[in-house]
Every structure is written in structure tokens, then in C-alpha cells.
Amino acid sequence: MTLQQKKSALIVILLLLTLGLTLFSLQKSSQYSDLQKVFHNEKTALEKELDQMIKDYTDVVGLKKHISKKLQTEIVKMKKLQEEIKNLKATNYNTIAKYKQKIIRLQQENKKLFLQVDSLHTENQLLIIKNKNTSDILAQKETINTSLSEKNDALKEKVALGSILKTSAINVVAMKERNSGKLTSTSRASRTDAFRINFDLLKNLVAEAGEKTVFIQIINQNNNVIAPKGILTLNDGNQIQYSDTIKVNYTNDTLSLVSLILVNRTDIIKGKYTISVFVDTAYAGTTTFNLR
């Protein structure tokens, strides 16, 4: 083979080698491009999956603040993993596979955690219902207690009113003294030397038995107290003058009383007189009569 032929053969071989290398390079370039595309797609898919997981956790944290500490810790872990994936520069599919495994583990942990969350939520709801039922029962008891207290107060008031002693009709007779010293009735003011007053303390089983003081007051039409003996303070705080007192032992049964009140004839004027009876500090009865 001539030198020229050898050169030609060498050129052909070099051309073939160049062509082969070019084809190989193109093939590798295509494979690399395909790998980059797959890597990018996988990376994007992982980021989206983490975005959704973070959103789910954030929603739960907003709804269930009482258990948010553990959930917030998991969100921090997912955001950290998401940042690592975003910063990936390599195109090694094994790296993507490694992060896939991490996300799978996170999902498994999430499943357990959400089960705990649901269980706690259910318990919390049951507790809320129980507390509400308890509150309702307490409110009902409070209403009943208030009602009973009001009824009890009303009953006490009725008992207090019912325990006040009352008198029968009060009989009053003006008396004049004869020369013999004997007292006889009169209707004239100018001849009146005394008032004879009689009445009954009525039966009352509710009233407290025991010693009582009965006060009798005589007032003329000018509101002047006749033969005043002292001052009595009533239940309402008002003070009155009285004309006579009688100490009695009350046994809850009817008790007849008589009072004879001596007066100065010169103090007695014509007109209307009012006789009132008080037992201890409470009003018991009244009547009126006229002298001419």
C-alpha cells in the first residue's frame, strides 16, 4: 500500500471515529436531558406534596389550638425538608429517592399524629358536651334553689305576718265616778273619769307563745294622747305614746283582757276618740267611739 493510500485510510478511520464520538455524545446528551427533566419533575412533585402537607397541618393548627404545639413542630420539620429539596442541584435520581423515603416516613408519622389529634378532638368534644350538661344541670339547680329560696322567703314573710297577734272587736266604755266611788258608764265628755276597754287576744297557733306586753293608746280627735304613760318604738321604727300596758302570758289560745284607764276629766273633750292596741311592737287592732 502506498503512502497516499495509507493516509486516505487513516483519514477514513478518523472520520469514522469522529462520527462515532459525535453520535455517542448526542446520545449521552439526550440521556442527560431526559434525566434532568425527570429530576425536575420529581423535585416539583415532592415540593407540591410538601406544600399540601404543610397546608393540612396549618389548617389543623388554626382549628385546634390546644394541641397545636406538636403540629407546629411537624410543620417546621416539613418546611426544612422542603427547603432542602428546593436547593437540590444534583441530578442524581438516588437523591430524589432518598427524599421520597423521607416524605413517606413523614406521611406515616402524620397519619399517627392525625389519629391522635382526632382522638383528642373527640375526647374534647365529649368533654365539652359533658361540661355543658353539667352546666345545664347546675343552672337548673341554681334556678330551683333560687325559686325555693324565693318561696322560702315568701313563706317566712307569710309566717311572720301570720304570727302577729290580732284582737277581737274592741269595746270601749267611758266611765264617771259617783260620790260613792262607784264607776258607771257615761256618754258625756265632761263627766268622763276613766275608760274601760276590753277585748280578746285571738288564738294564733303560729305565733310564739310566752310573755307578751300589750300597749293601749287613746287619742282624741286632735291627735293628742290621753293619759300618756310612756313611749313605744314599733316594728317600722315609728314611736308612739301609750296610755296603758298589760303584761300577759300568751299560750296561743284566746285570751280576754280588760284595761281601766283613769283620766283627768278636764282633759276630755267632745268628739271622736281612737283606741289602738299593740302587742309587743306590732299593731293588733283599733276602734273608735264618740263622746258628746
Side-chain angles (χ1 to χ4, degrees), residues 2-17:
T2 65
L3 180 58
Q4 184 62 38
Q5 288 175 332
K6 288 181 179 180
K7 286 182 178 180
S8 297
L10 181 58
I11 290 169
V12 170
I13 291 169
L14 288 172
L15 287 172
L16 289 172
L17 285 171

Side-chain angles (χ1 to χ4, degrees), residues 170 172 197 216-218 273-277 285-289:
I170 301 170
V172 183
I197 303 166
I216 301 169
Q217 181 195 62
I218 306 172
Y273 285 78
T274 301
I275 288 80
S276 299
V277 177
T286 190
T287 190
T288 62
F289 79 104

